[in-house]
Amino acid sequence: MAFSTATVTTAPYGSWKSPITSDDVSGATKDLGGTTIDGRGRLIWLEFRPTESGRGVLVLEPENNGGEAVDITPKEFGVRTLAQEYGGGAFTVSGDVVFFANYNDQRLYKQSISSLDVPPVPLTPDYGGPLVSYADGRLDARFNRFISVREDRRESSLNPPTTIVSIALGSKDLQEPEVLVSGSDFYAFPRLDSKSERITWIQWNHPSMPWDKTELWVGYISENGEIYKRVCIAGNDPSRVESPTEPKWSLDGELFFVTDKENGFWNIHKWIEFENKVVSVYSLEAEFTRPLWTYGMNSYEFVESSKQKNLIACSYRQHGKSYLGIIDVQGSKLTVIDFPCTDINNITSGNDCLYVEGASEVLPSSVAKVTFDDDKSKAVDFNIIWSSSPDSLKYSSYISKPEFIEFPTEVPGQNAYAYFYPPSNPDFQASKEEKPPLLLKSHGGPTQETRGILNLSVQYWTSRGWAVVDVNYGGSTGYGRVYRERLLRQWGIVDVNDCCSCATYLVDSGKVDKERLCIMGGSAGGYTTLAVLAFRDTFQAGASLYGVSESFDTSISLSRLISMYCQCKFYTANQVKIIIGMTFIVLTVKVNKLTMHANL
């Protein structure tokens, strides 16, 4: 469908009409919750559907090209785990059986893929509510059990214990899971070798976050299924802080993982077991994984070629862009694969192919099937299997493509990064004398990373004549440990300064109007928004979405609250800005006139 016309109308920035509606932004995009393959090599993915109130549904790839994908999950179930709140790793597949966590009761279930008329069977006890959650599990065929991370909120939801447990599969009666590993505050990535003789995992404790400091362990499994010996592989050196993550056993029984110990960037390493030594597989100032916000990340896979067995397909991120690569482990050589996505998340190995979760400035989050030549040196075929927002492509003529910018911060010699989106609409133009208003976005986390990919929530504004800039302030991941540690004990300072510096840089560059600067953010980014409005005079208005802030007296009626705060003559400009940012009240303000309008 084409929306643009031959006539171009001259109108002020911000007043342009756009076919991209709020309904398109809120309802058109599905989220992806992971991918894997079944015993026949068919792709299975988890999608969260806004049209079904966000229900998580497992979907099976069509058997033939052009065929229809098949829903695996029955309508009365939803696949999602609440482990560590953010979840992830809610399902896994072994052969013809899928294991998944059900959202409503948080119990684990198993289901036959080939017999979808047979309802899922529960594997864990019913505790009378969603009190116990499971995530990041794997089948242990040797002992006919399921190994999983468990978060138990039966006694306390404030600080629930997390453990690694085994769940018996052969018993007719449901049994209480057996604890295999405990004692630390958090666990992730329990992974078994091909013979189920060794298990690896990562663990960490308060107050560290998993991108700050973790430990990688290996446990040796006895004949009765117990862990009788444990060895810490990485993260136990008191002289150096590191955050190992994503451990994985090769078919030959070698342990690989990602850590940032050597150069401050998450690179792939290998454990030499007989020497108890860790060596780098390939060293590069780039990130070969992402911060562990959710379970189930899969940034690299083992692949084989006709000439070489020790190959690793991987994704890495450098200078604001993702790359797909093949590492020759023996030769310590990296081959970059020509690939149309500039942002890559998870990789799943299929039968003579890779399924890659990626996106670009013109492609929404998608899953692509990539086929290689025999040597695995180049991609010979590229197919989109799944798209988060296939309808977004009809707005291609309205899409604003981001410019990756590097701008100076308040610290001399220190720069930060952002993606700048200029206004874009083929039906409108502004006068040459006018500069566009700016909407600056401050991401959450605060140690997440914004990426320059197609996002209708950005295009909603740019197609109406706004400029948008998405900032990776100091503390963001994607740029190494030194960069993300800029925010240590400096939250509310570094992020605030960098957002203001970015806006000032764009003003000085002649890209935006100094008198029309706005900021918005959610969660941690909402706090940054509040702090910017309260303590700096760079921005004229802002919106905090579920920002971190102090609560107010809920005994005061909402109408009374608005009435009090709208008497702006009693408040200074900064006080008004603080009031505007209070959680759950969305307000717009023109500070120089101290007038406010509530939109509730």
Side-chain angles (χ1 to χ4, degrees):
M1 181 184 296
F3 292 96
S4 60
T5 64
T7 303
V8 177
T9 302
T10 300
Y13 285 118
S15 68
W16 300 352
K17 294 182 179 180
S18 169
I20 304 175
T21 67
S22 57
D23 286 342
D24 293 326
V25 175
S26 62
T29 301
K30 296 175 290 187
D31 288 330
L32 191 67
T35 60
T36 189
I37 61 170
D38 68 2
R40 297 172 58 188
R42 294 177 300 175
L43 183 69
I44 294 176
W45 65 86
L46 171 60
E47 66 180 37
F48 297 101
R49 299 172 174 173
T51 56
E52 298 182 32
S53 302
R55 185 173 76 98
V57 180
L58 290 169
V59 185
L60 179 64
E61 177 186 12
E63 193 160 356
N64 302 309
N65 290 335
E68 291 290 329
V70 178
D71 284 2
I72 297 174
T73 308
K75 293 184 180 299
E76 61 271 24
F77 287 84
V79 181
R80 181 184 172 190
T81 177
L82 296 176
Q84 294 185 17
E85 302 298 334
Y86 291 101
F91 76 102
T92 190
V93 175
S94 179
D96 186 47
V97 178
V98 58
F99 301 86
F100 69 91
N102 184 45
Y103 176 62
N104 286 335
D105 57 15
Q106 288 297 287
R107 299 170 71 186
L108 274 179
Y109 289 79
K110 71 175 181 178
Q111 181 185 9
S112 171
I113 300 171
S114 60
S115 303
L116 295 181
D117 55 330
V118 178
V121 177
L123 300 176
T124 53
D126 183 358
Y127 299 111
L131 300 175
V132 179
S133 297
Y134 304 87
D136 213 11
R138 291 295 185 272
L139 177 67
D140 182 357
R142 180 187 176 194
F143 295 101
N144 194 26
R145 62 185 180 178
F146 193 75
I147 308 296
S148 177
V149 175
R150 181 183 71 177
E151 183 181 72
D152 190 344
R153 299 179 294 276
R154 282 177 288 181
E155 293 187 6
S156 171
S157 60
L158 296 178
N159 191 22
T162 301
T163 55
I164 297 175
V165 299
S166 70
I167 298 147
L169 300 179
S171 175
K172 293 182 179 180
D173 298 324
L174 296 181
Q175 300 178 6
E176 182 71 18
E178 178 185 351
V179 175
L180 290 179
V181 184
S182 63
S184 286
D185 293 330
F186 304 100
Y187 293 93
F189 295 109
R191 299 292 185 263
L192 295 156
D193 68 14
S194 60
K195 297 180 180 179
S196 292
E197 295 176 346
R198 294 167 297 175
I199 183 173
T200 185
W201 68 87
I202 68 165
Q203 62 186 47
W204 66 99
N205 294 292
H206 290 301
S208 295
M209 299 298 281
W211 48 84
D212 294 327
K213 178 176 172 56
T214 57
E215 295 177 351
L216 171 65
W217 286 76
V218 168
Y220 293 84
I221 302 173
S222 68
E223 292 296 327
N224 61 3
E226 297 178 351
I227 298 176
Y228 67 90
K229 177 185 175 183
R230 305 182 187 193
V231 179
C232 187
I233 305 303
N236 61 339
D237 185 350
S239 66
R240 183 176 295 181
V241 178
E242 64 175 313
S243 52
T245 184
E246 284 205 64
K248 185 177 297 187
W249 300 96
S250 71
L251 291 177
D252 296 331
E254 293 183 306
L255 178 63
F256 291 78
F257 62 98
V258 179
T259 190
D260 58 351
K261 180 178 181 179
E262 293 184 2
N263 62 1
F265 288 82
W266 278 313
N267 287 185
I268 300 176
H269 289 68
K270 182 174 74 171
W271 178 48
I272 309 298
E273 183 175 12
F274 69 91
E275 297 182 54
N276 194 22
K277 183 175 70 173
V278 171
V279 296
S280 173
V281 171
Y282 188 84
S283 181
L284 185 69
E285 289 192 352
E287 303 282 36
F288 283 76
T289 189
R290 310 185 305 282
L292 182 59
W293 280 94
T294 60
Y295 289 109
M297 293 191 310
N298 200 50
S299 304
Y300 67 98
E301 283 275 24
F302 304 112
V303 295
E304 293 185 3
S305 73
S306 57
K307 299 178 181 179
Q308 170 68 273
K309 286 188 175 181
N310 295 317
L311 298 179
I312 294 177
C314 62
S315 66
Y316 65 92
R317 193 153 179 85
Q318 190 175 48
H319 304 308
K321 182 181 178 181
S322 295
Y323 298 86
L324 182 65
I326 302 289
I327 295 178
D328 178 348
V329 176
Q330 289 181 332
S332 189
K333 176 186 176 183
L334 173 67
T335 300
V336 179
I337 304 299
D338 187 17
F339 189 65
C341 294
T342 56
D343 176 58
I344 300 173
N345 287 323
N346 296 314
I347 295 175
T348 298
S349 182
N351 292 341
D352 299 322
C353 68
L354 287 178
Y355 294 98
V356 182
E357 180 186 340
S360 73
E361 58 190 19
V362 295
L363 182 70
S365 179
S366 306
V367 177
K369 183 177 182 179
V370 185
T371 306
F372 294 86
D373 61 359
D374 291 340
D375 295 336
K376 299 296 187 292
S377 59
K378 66 178 181 180
V380 296
D381 195 22
F382 174 88
N383 253 336
I384 298 295
I385 302 297
W386 177 89
S387 175
S388 62
S389 182
D391 289 344
S392 64
L393 299 179
K394 67 185 180 183
Y395 303 121
S396 58
S397 61
Y398 292 83
I399 298 304
S400 174
K401 297 180 181 179
E403 172 192 352
F404 182 69
I405 62 172
E406 183 175 350
F407 60 90
T409 68
E410 292 192 1
V411 178
Q414 194 176 88
N415 292 344
Y417 309 95
Y419 297 95
F420 176 72
Y421 299 80
S424 177
N425 188 318
D427 305 327
F428 290 90
Q429 65 181 8
S431 65
K432 294 182 180 180
E433 296 78 20
E434 186 186 7
K435 292 182 175 62
L438 175 70
L439 176 62
L440 183 145
K441 299 186 71 175
S442 173
H443 67 69
T447 53
Q448 290 183 337
E449 177 193 3
T450 187
R451 303 183 173 201
I453 62 175
L454 180 57
N455 185 337
L456 289 185
S457 67
V458 170
Q459 305 301 327
Y460 176 91
W461 295 98
T462 56
S463 62
R464 285 167 168 75
W466 283 71
V468 175
V469 65
D470 222 343
V471 183
N472 278 318
Y473 48 78
S476 304
T477 46
Y479 303 91
R481 175 176 283 272
V482 172
Y483 193 85
R484 69 178 182 266
E485 286 187 345
R486 288 184 187 180
L487 208 64
L488 286 178
R489 299 179 180 84
Q490 295 292 309
W491 186 24
I493 300 174
V494 169
D495 49 325
V496 166
N497 290 342
D498 287 359
C499 287
C500 293
S501 294
C502 182
T504 301
Y505 171 81
L506 293 173
V507 168
D508 294 343
S509 301
K511 294 180 181 294
V512 298
D513 186 350
K514 181 180 180 180
E515 301 302 321
R516 293 187 290 174
L517 304 179
C518 304
I519 182 172
M520 70 176 293
S523 191
Y527 167 73
T528 302
T529 296
L530 299 182
V532 164
L533 294 175
F535 306 119
R536 303 293 290 273
D537 293 320
T538 305
F539 295 88
Q540 281 70 46
S544 171
L545 311 177
Y546 51 91
V548 180
S549 65
E550 294 224 18
S551 60
F552 53 84
D553 185 357
T554 54
S555 64
I556 301 175
S557 70
L558 192 59
S559 59
R560 174 60 178 156
L561 193 66
I562 296 171
S563 175
M564 289 167 52
Y565 292 159
C566 283
Q567 299 177 37
C568 296
K569 61 184 180 180
F570 298 115
Y571 298 90
T572 66
N574 275 349
Q575 286 173 324
V576 171
K577 290 178 181 179
I578 294 172
I579 292 165
I580 290 165
M582 297 195 80
T583 308
F584 305 126
I585 298 181
V586 181
L587 299 167
T588 59
V589 63
K590 190 173 181 181
V591 175
N592 59 336
K593 292 185 179 179
L594 293 182
T595 59
M596 301 197 308
H597 305 279
N599 179 16
L600 304 175

